[in-house]
Amino acid sequence: MADTPEKSETKDTLRFFLKLALFVFILRSFIVTSFVIPSESMLPRLLIGDYLFVTKWNYGYSRWSLPFGLPLLPGRILGRDPARGDVVVFRSPGPDDHDVIKRVIGLPGDTIQVRNGQVILNGRPVPKQRIADFVLPLTPNFNADKCGAEHLDTVAGQGVCRYARFRETLPGGKSYDVLDQGDFPDRDDTIVYTVPAGNVFLMGDNRDDSADSRFAPPMGIGYIPMERLEGRAAVTFFSTDGTAEWIKPWTWVSAARWSRIGEGF
C-alpha cells in the first residue's frame, strides 16, 4: 500500500533536516566555523564582541576539528605547522577545555623568553617599536573595571581606556600591535622556554592580560599540541559593543561596530 501524502511529507522533511545537519557538520568541521571573542586578551586586534570566521583546513584535522571534540579522527590528519604570527583557535587543555584564540610565537625547537616586556626568540630580541596609544571607548563590552583605573581617560567628553601600544615584528616580516599595561615581573620577565616537538608557544597581544603559554595550567595554557589547533582566524564578519538588546531589534544596528567588519588577518 502506498504511503499516504502525510507520511511522505514527514519523511521528506526528516530527510531534509538530516541532510542539512550533515552539511552543517561537514562545513563546521572541515571548511569554516565562527568564533566570538569573549575576553580582552587579544587587544588591540580583537575586541570583546568581535565575530570571526575561522578556516579549518590550514593545519590539518583532528578530533578537535569536530564539533564538541567528537573522538572520530585518530591523531592528526593532513597536518601542517602554523607560521609564526598566525592567529589560531585551539582547544585548551584540562578538564574545563574550551576554545581559545591566541597568536603563534614559537614553533617546535624555538626558545622563547620575555625580558623587560620584550620577546626574545631564539636568542634575538623581537623588534618592538612604540607607536600611538591604543584608545578604546568604554562600552558594556569593555567597561571601566576591565580597563583598570590607571588607564581610564576622557576624549571629547567620552570615557575611554588608554594603553601603551607597540608594533612587534617577527622573523619573516609578520607585524602586529601589542599592548603594555605596565611592569609585571611574572609576565615581563620569564624563564627560557624551549618548545617541544609537536607543540606551539602561544601568546595574547594584550601581553599583561593574557593567560597563555608563559604559564602552566591551570593559570595559563602551557605548550599546545598541534592536534589541538582547530583553525586560523580569517576575517571579522560582525562586531558589537554590547549595547544591543534582543527585544529591541533597532539597537542591533546601533550597537554594531561597522568599521571592524571585513578586517582580515
Side-chain angles (χ1 to χ4, degrees), residues 31-138:
I31 302 174
V32 68
T33 190
S34 60
F35 184 80
V36 59
I37 302 302
S39 77
E40 60 272 22
S41 71
M42 281 296 290
L43 289 173
R45 173 59 189 86
L46 295 172
L47 310 185
I48 297 173
D50 282 354
Y51 288 75
L52 315 177
F53 283 130
V54 177
T55 53
K56 302 297 292 285
W57 61 81
N58 305 90
Y59 313 122
Y61 303 100
S62 71
R63 63 171 292 188
W64 302 112
S65 304
L66 306 179
F68 314 111
L70 295 173
L72 302 179
L73 296 176
R76 186 172 170 232
I77 300 172
L78 302 175
R80 293 177 295 277
D81 291 353
R84 295 188 191 94
D86 283 0
V87 175
V88 300
V89 172
F90 62 97
R91 186 62 61 93
S92 69
D96 61 341
D97 57 285
H98 58 285
D99 291 345
V100 185
I101 189 165
K102 301 289 183 192
R103 190 180 297 277
V104 176
I105 300 297
L107 298 174
D110 284 345
T111 61
I112 296 145
Q113 185 181 24
V114 182
R115 293 202 300 256
N116 297 319
Q118 185 169 28
V119 175
I120 312 298
L121 178 61
N122 294 325
R124 297 184 176 182
V126 173
K128 183 180 176 184
Q129 178 186 5
R130 182 73 160 93
I131 58 176
D133 288 348
F134 176 66
V135 179
L136 180 64
L138 298 178

Side-chain angles (χ1 to χ4, degrees), residues 7 13 20 59 76 98 107 116 132 144 161 177 179 186 200 203-204 207 225 250 256:
K7 288 184 179 179
T13 302
L20 180 62
Y59 313 122
R76 186 172 170 232
H98 58 285
L107 298 174
N116 297 319
C161 190
D177 295 349
L179 301 182
D186 64 327
V200 288
M203 295 179 72
R207 290 292 164 74
W250 59 91

